[in-house]
Amino acid sequence: MTAVPVVIGRRAPAAESRERAAVDPRGLVDTHGRVHRDLRISLTDRCSLRCTYCMPEQGNEWLARTSILSTDEIVEVAEVAAALGIRTFRLTGGEPLLRPDIVDVVRRISRIQGEDGPVEVAMTTNGISLAQKLPALIDAGLTRLNISIDTIDRQRFADLTRRDRLDDVFEGIAAAAASELRPLKLNAVAMRGVNDDQLADLVAFAMGVGAQLRFIEQMPLDAGHTWDRATMVTREEILDALGERWSLEPVPGRGGAPAEKWRIDGGPHEVGVIASVTAPFCGACDRLRLTADGQLRNCLFSNDEYDLTTLLRGEASVPGQRDDAIADLLRSCILGKLPGHAIDDPSFLQPARGMNAIGG
């Protein structure tokens, strides 16, 4: 008999709903017909930067080290998720490169066989220490890479991140550009008064290193809860700014990808925009998240969490039964997913956790 799912913030869906999902040949399917293929795994809530839109410089309340999932626990969950149809595992943080055993995490997940062969292991990083670790990560099975860089101006970078580490980020980007990892993507959060006058320059920089720049609308995920929709840089403003320098042609076939893409001057370069606030793509979302302390989340903006840690570490949970229990909790999490994030609804409540604690 499988363990009963432990849910923070809501009751688990009824057993009959879980049974319907169990026999669905498409795997992890929610009540709105969305098939889930992507699991984002946060490896730590700690970061080597202190970006103003993410966390305060001082006074951060870090997760207890004993609460962080071990590599064995992460791999156990990943194996069950792959059996249920998850094809891509994206490693996030905080900053995932701060995890001492990051290469081992990549190696062990990359060996997992999914329904269509080996799973894909991707990573989102700020690039600091990437140049030193990238060869080992590629050898371990890393297949895709996103690097965050919100500005290429040294003083602005220091002001924004509260750290003078831009050269380290450039070094990481150069190493990634020289590698075989493609497509290489650079992520930038568009912010008014910070980098909104530099959007085209960021795209030009990305083109120069053979990468695709993806702009992200600033979202209500800051630890200080100071986000203001009225002051954010919108998708339309981003496109207008880029349109002053280049012609942009929409790229068809977005599917479940979070970024809309445009060809620049007919190609081959492209630019993407992730407009979670002004042009949400919830209807095609195929992602769920696992926090560093073992909480499943079916939406980045959800306030509900499904507790895997208790299940993984409970005395009554033995290996023979645990796979079924993990699968049951994954299905429960998916079946609890709402049709959209409702940021524009007056009842919307910003998640209590900041982005660094949720995982990107």
Side-chain angles (χ1 to χ4, degrees):
M1 183 174 181
T2 59
V4 176
V6 179
V7 183
I8 307 299
R10 67 157 61 234
R11 293 191 305 164
E16 58 267 24
S17 296
R18 295 198 300 271
E19 290 169 5
R20 285 199 298 272
V23 300
D24 194 308
R26 295 175 295 170
L28 293 170
V29 186
D30 67 16
T31 58
H32 307 283
R34 294 171 293 197
V35 183
H36 291 70
R37 301 295 191 189
D38 185 308
L39 175 60
R40 306 197 167 196
I41 302 175
S42 176
L43 300 181
T44 177
D45 63 329
R46 297 172 187 261
C47 189
S48 42
L49 300 176
R50 294 292 182 272
C51 296
T52 57
Y53 60 83
C54 186
M55 65 175 81
E57 183 174 15
Q58 303 291 338
N60 293 285
E61 295 184 6
W62 306 114
L63 294 172
R65 294 190 183 278
T66 54
S67 73
I68 303 296
L69 292 184
S70 69
T71 299
D72 285 344
E73 290 168 334
I74 290 170
V75 172
E76 184 176 2
V77 173
E79 288 174 341
V80 175
L84 293 173
I86 295 295
R87 296 173 179 171
T88 300
F89 294 89
R90 176 169 293 279
L91 306 179
T92 69
E95 173 47 50
L97 293 180
L98 291 180
R99 177 117 177 179
D101 62 346
I102 180 62
V103 174
D104 190 44
V105 173
V106 171
R107 179 178 294 109
R108 293 182 62 184
I109 294 179
S110 70
R111 291 174 177 170
I112 296 173
Q113 293 290 317
E115 57 185 7
D116 299 318
V119 300
E120 184 176 54
V121 183
M123 181 184 296
T124 297
T125 172
N126 62 26
I128 296 173
S129 80
L130 179 63
Q132 295 75 35
K133 298 179 180 180
L134 187 57
L137 290 169
I138 293 174
D139 184 65
L142 186 69
T143 54
R144 285 195 290 120
L145 191 62
N146 289 20
I147 304 173
S148 299
I149 180 166
D150 298 318
T151 176
I152 54 176
D153 179 271
R154 185 174 307 281
Q155 187 57 53
R156 292 193 200 188
F157 184 91
D159 291 342
L160 177 65
T161 68
R162 304 184 178 104
R163 300 289 187 273
D164 185 12
R165 304 296 298 273
L166 184 58
D167 285 341
D168 296 315
V169 179
F170 282 156
E171 186 179 2
I173 291 172
S179 77
E180 66 268 30
L181 296 183
R182 291 296 184 275
L184 174 61
K185 298 175 182 177
L186 305 184
N187 294 344
V189 178
M191 292 167 281
R192 197 173 308 283
V194 177
N195 63 359
D196 56 330
D197 62 338
Q198 204 179 49
L199 304 183
D201 292 337
L202 281 162
V203 173
F205 170 77
M207 292 165 59
V209 297
Q212 178 193 118
L213 201 292
R214 305 195 317 166
F215 289 108
I216 303 171
E217 286 184 339
Q218 191 170 0
M219 297 176 284
L221 292 168
D222 59 302
H225 290 207
T226 60
W227 178 84
D228 183 355
R229 194 190 198 289
T231 63
M232 59 171 284
V233 180
T234 67
R235 167 186 178 272
E236 292 306 316
E237 289 178 276
I238 294 168
L239 295 176
D240 287 345
L242 301 183
E244 293 179 2
R245 187 177 300 190
W246 301 289
S247 65
L248 302 177
E249 175 189 354
V251 176
R254 176 182 181 181
E260 296 176 89
K261 294 191 293 185
W262 285 264
R263 261 183 221 97
I264 299 172
D265 285 346
H269 298 292
E270 297 176 345
V271 63
V273 179
I274 300 175
S276 299
V277 179
T278 64
F281 43 91
C282 302
C285 180
D286 65 351
R287 292 167 296 286
L288 67 156
R289 288 172 168 79
L290 177 62
T291 67
D293 59 342
Q295 305 301 309
L296 282 170
R297 299 174 65 93
N298 54 35
C299 176
L300 187 58
F301 303 100
S302 176
N303 276 293
D304 298 327
E305 295 184 338
Y306 296 67
D307 184 8
L308 266 174
T309 301
T310 300
L311 186 158
L312 290 167
R313 299 177 181 178
E315 293 181 4
S317 180
V318 297
Q321 300 173 336
R322 210 156 48 208
D323 284 0
D324 289 341
I326 293 170
D328 195 38
L329 192 57
L330 284 164
R331 295 188 188 101
S332 294
C333 179
I334 292 301
L335 288 169
K337 189 166 184 172
L338 299 175
H341 55 52
I343 287 177
D344 288 327
D345 191 286
S347 64
F348 174 77
L349 295 176
Q350 181 172 336
R353 292 189 192 236
M355 186 69 165
N356 68 298
I358 296 173

